[in-house]
Amino acid sequence: MAAPCPLPPPDPQFVLRGTQSPVHALHFCEGGQAQGHPLLFSGSQSGLVHIWSLQMRRALATLDGHGGQCVTWLQTLPQGHQLLSQGRDLKLCLWDLAEGRNTVMDTVRLESVGFCRSSILVRGQRWMLAVPGKGSDEVQILEMPSKTSVCTLKPEADAKLGMPMCLRLWQADCSPRPLLLAGYEDGSVTLWDVSEQKVRSRIACHAEPVMDLDFDSQKAKGISGSAGKALAVWSLSGQQALQVCGTHQLTNPGIAEVTIRPDRKILATAGWDHRIRVFHWRKMRPLAVLAFHSAAVQCVAFAADGLLAAGSKDQRISLWSLYARA
């Protein structure tokens, strides 16, 4: 008896149109709207940030703070009424969104025009911000909202890592020390101890630049994607040593973003080949290849309830409900 054919990949639950520009950044904000529906923020190549109602499936507001330059990163602060947006105009804007306001409260001038997205670590009323630094291989750490410089993380002179391409600030539950995972142009991933400004561990993961990474602090395991054809899975020991666990070969090169779902069961990648790929996180088993977009997928984001959003160069944002119990 023939084995049953696998089910075809689903269609998107719905599609958001109206950015009129390629979509480069996505971020969900929980509790941003009544009736329990999250808000979705999107950043476009034209420099605009759109705030989407997923209930009404339309944009509620448009923020214009980057002078027509591409928006590369979006992040809300925990209270939900403040948004950070990073643009290729060398500015990071802090927006006040409370009570219907859409105003820039403050800006941070960036020193690097590269593609590296920033990262934050919230610590009570204050928060730490990691941004690409003035030197091509540097990362600057700021204390916010005061914008006080904490330190500059600069690799040793002979390391030749190239530019930082992606950053992830985090903190272990058992320690107050902030740590930074950084993916570099040479294909390596480095763990920095921010307090001591020291490299704790470094591994060579990819032959091409690391485009993005995500880290599961509960499993002490991370994943990175590159301009090449492989996803790399790596672990962090109790002694803060990084180790490559394995790689997953892809059909086509180029991962723009990789993100692990909040429940840590599945992950999604944004592919230059127009595809969204979904994997079982613990086993790295391929679950689906979603072929909806007609141009490169440049960002993916999960909501707390598992809803997946993907933004593409084709100016569309697709939303997917997948694997509730993967």
Side-chain angles (χ1 to χ4, degrees):
M1 184 175 171
C5 294
L7 293 172
D11 292 325
Q13 193 170 354
F14 57 94
V15 179
L16 301 174
R17 297 172 174 85
T19 63
Q20 298 179 329
S21 178
V23 181
H24 281 258
L26 290 170
H27 175 69
F28 282 101
C29 177
E30 308 300 328
Q33 190 180 0
Q35 291 88 42
H37 292 274
L39 293 174
L40 177 64
F41 295 83
S42 69
S44 69
Q45 189 170 302
S46 64
L48 300 180
V49 175
H50 289 85
I51 306 175
W52 301 89
S53 163
L54 300 184
Q55 190 179 23
M56 294 185 278
R57 301 183 185 181
R58 65 175 180 84
L60 299 173
T62 303
L63 313 180
D64 185 358
H66 291 283
Q69 297 294 307
C70 181
V71 176
T72 57
W73 178 70
L74 297 165
Q75 176 71 51
T76 48
L77 295 178
Q79 56 265 45
H81 301 304
Q82 293 180 353
L83 170 74
L84 287 164
S85 65
Q86 178 183 344
R88 297 294 300 281
D89 59 342
L90 296 177
K91 267 197 328 192
L92 196 148
C93 295
L94 176 61
W95 299 85
D96 175 15
L97 304 179
E99 298 173 352
R101 292 189 292 273
N102 296 317
T103 55
V104 176
M105 301 165 59
D106 203 354
T107 59
V108 176
R109 294 297 304 176
L110 302 177
E111 303 279 1
S112 170
V113 77
F115 294 95
C116 184
R117 300 178 178 114
S118 300
S119 179
I120 65 167
L121 175 64
V122 176
R123 310 167 85 187
Q125 293 299 308
R126 299 180 303 166
W127 38 286
M128 188 171 275
L129 174 69
V131 298
K134 187 172 186 177
S136 63
D137 61 352
E138 294 177 354
V139 177
Q140 187 180 13
I141 307 294
L142 301 172
E143 188 76 53
M144 299 293 289
S146 66
K147 297 193 280 190
T148 306
S149 179
V150 175
C151 64
T152 298
L153 304 177
K154 183 175 175 61
E156 57 274 25
D158 60 350
K160 298 179 181 174
L161 304 183
M163 294 185 296
M165 304 294 291
C166 50
L167 306 171
R168 190 60 50 99
L169 277 169
W170 65 286
Q171 198 169 345
D173 292 338
C174 59
S175 169
R177 302 177 77 87
L179 301 167
L180 175 75
L181 285 160
Y184 287 89
E185 193 177 3
D186 74 335
S188 67
V189 172
T190 296
L191 177 69
W192 288 91
D193 183 315
V194 174
S195 302
E196 294 191 13
Q197 302 175 44
K198 283 185 180 176
V199 173
R200 287 294 175 203
S201 184
R202 178 179 296 136
I203 47 170
C205 292
H206 302 276
E208 301 283 343
V210 182
M211 300 306 294
D212 195 36
L213 61 82
D214 202 359
F215 184 67
D216 178 348
S217 58
Q218 286 190 3
K219 293 186 176 73
K221 195 171 78 164
I223 185 164
S224 51
S226 77
K229 282 188 173 185
L231 293 169
V233 178
W234 30 270
S235 63
L236 182 63
S237 73
Q239 288 71 43
Q240 296 190 342
L242 292 167
Q243 182 175 2
V244 177
C245 302
T247 58
H248 181 90
Q249 294 300 311
L250 302 169
T251 309
N252 301 306
I255 292 295
E257 190 164 21
V258 55
T259 185
I260 301 167
R261 197 166 72 179
D263 66 3
R264 298 174 176 84
K265 290 185 176 179
I266 66 173
L267 67 94
T269 65
W272 294 354
D273 65 353
H274 313 177
R275 306 292 193 268
I276 306 155
R277 287 179 168 79
V278 183
F279 297 86
H280 187 284
W281 172 218
R282 185 168 56 85
K283 300 176 182 176
M284 275 308 290
R285 185 176 73 244
L287 296 176
V289 178
L290 307 176
F292 168 76
H293 289 282
S294 58
V297 181
Q298 302 187 114
C299 45
V300 282
F302 280 109
D305 65 0
L307 189 67
L308 170 65
S312 170
K313 211 169 179 178
D314 67 10
Q315 306 184 11
R316 296 181 293 176
I317 301 167
S318 58
L319 288 111
W320 309 77
S321 182
L322 301 166
Y323 303 107
R325 292 182 174 85

